[in-house]
Amino acid sequence: EVLLVESGGGLVQPGGSLRLSCAASGFTFSHYAMYWVRQAPGKGLEWVSGISNSGGRTYYGDSVKGRCTISRDNSKNTLYLQMNSLRAEDTAVYYCAKDLPPGNWYFDLWGRGTLVTVSS
Amino acid sequence: EIVLTQSPATLSLSPGERATLSCRASQSVSNYLAWYQQKPGQAPRLLIYDASNRATGIPARFSGSGSGTDFTLTISSLEPEDFAVYYCQQRSNWVTFGGGTKVEIK
């Protein structure tokens, strides 16, 4: 079964840091670009970041540029998102998503998400 | 940034009826547009990509059309499981999503 499972969310104070993880299974992880997409409570979807299949190219949305770092470990089939200088407006469910090949920035497999709450 | 505007915000229909959802882009996205379905408490599911191609396993009652700035998702005959929120997404210039259309039971 193809599966993405996020972890690492939780409650963090403004200015704090958090590292999200996404464990992939059931497909050849190293063949696909991967992404993070978030959804604030009761709101729509917002693309956060993307990474090429090799990890050599990374991309960020304007709202997180300079504060977040996406990475991957293909030997562990795991995607990461390091989030720093967190703000209240970063509160959201964070989904990892797999690319619909070949690298066309559509998302054909999603995890169930992990909730990040930024609050004092 | 390309802004996607979805209309209507809410669509109230009965099972068996036809649903027509609109997505308008602030500038041309060619055919680089996808549609997703999201049910409460669940992750989104890809329905349509490149404006008119159904994703794997998506029933034929879902169809997409359009190019440039105007796109439509049509559900030919609503099934009970189709009541959900639908989002469009463009990949022509980075990635942005529309605000969503909720299809609710009338």
Side-chain angles (χ1 to χ4, degrees):
Chain A
E1 180 190 10
V2 290
L3 201 59
L4 296 171
V5 179
E6 301 92 338
S7 60
L11 176 63
V12 60
Q13 293 189 337
S17 298
L18 215 51
R19 187 174 88 151
L20 308 182
S21 299
C22 171
S25 59
F27 64 97
T28 306
F29 182 70
S30 62
H31 287 186
Y32 298 93
M34 297 291 296
Y35 307 91
W36 289 97
V37 177
R38 69 184 181 184
Q39 187 169 36
K43 302 297 184 182
L45 301 167
E46 180 188 14
W47 171 73
V48 173
S49 184
I51 187 167
S52 63
N53 65 316
S54 67
R57 288 167 290 166
T58 58
Y59 312 91
Y60 300 94
D62 288 342
S63 60
V64 303
K65 200 172 294 182
R67 299 188 299 121
C68 291
T69 302
I70 190 171
S71 61
R72 64 191 295 162
D73 185 335
N74 286 344
S75 69
K76 295 182 178 179
N77 292 341
T78 303
L79 175 72
Y80 302 101
L81 184 69
Q82 176 68 43
M83 308 174 65
N84 301 323
S85 303
L86 284 162
R87 308 165 180 167
E89 53 265 35
D90 295 317
T91 295
V93 174
Y94 285 73
Y95 297 102
C96 69
K98 168 186 164 291
D99 188 58
L100 175 71
N104 58 17
W105 293 72
Y106 297 128
F107 316 125
D108 73 340
L109 176 68
W110 299 62
R112 296 190 67 175
T114 187
L115 176 62
V116 172
T117 304
V118 184
S119 175
S120 54
Chain B
E1 175 182 306
I2 295 177
V3 177
L4 298 179
T5 302
Q6 292 187 240
S7 62
T10 304
L11 199 51
S12 299
L13 295 168
S14 301
E17 289 194 293
R18 182 183 189 91
T20 303
L21 288 66
S22 173
C23 177
R24 177 163 290 177
S26 59
Q27 63 189 78
S28 177
V29 298
S30 184
N31 69 328
Y32 298 135
L33 190 107
W35 292 92
Y36 297 83
Q37 176 194 69
Q38 187 178 33
K39 298 179 182 180
Q42 296 185 17
R45 177 174 70 143
L46 178 65
L47 301 174
I48 301 286
Y49 65 96
D50 285 345
S52 61
N53 295 312
R54 270 190 303 276
T56 301
I58 301 304
R61 64 181 182 273
F62 291 92
S63 64
S65 63
S67 66
T69 60
D70 290 302
F71 299 86
T72 300
L73 174 71
T74 301
I75 310 171
S76 59
S77 179
L78 282 164
E79 297 288 339
E81 61 267 28
D82 298 338
F83 292 91
V85 179
Y86 293 83
Y87 293 97
C88 56
Q89 174 233 325
Q90 66 81 23
R91 67 152 187 112
S92 175
N93 184 355
W94 296 108
V95 169
T96 53
F97 290 90
T101 291
K102 181 179 181 180
V103 179
E104 65 175 22
I105 299 176
K106 187 175 182 180

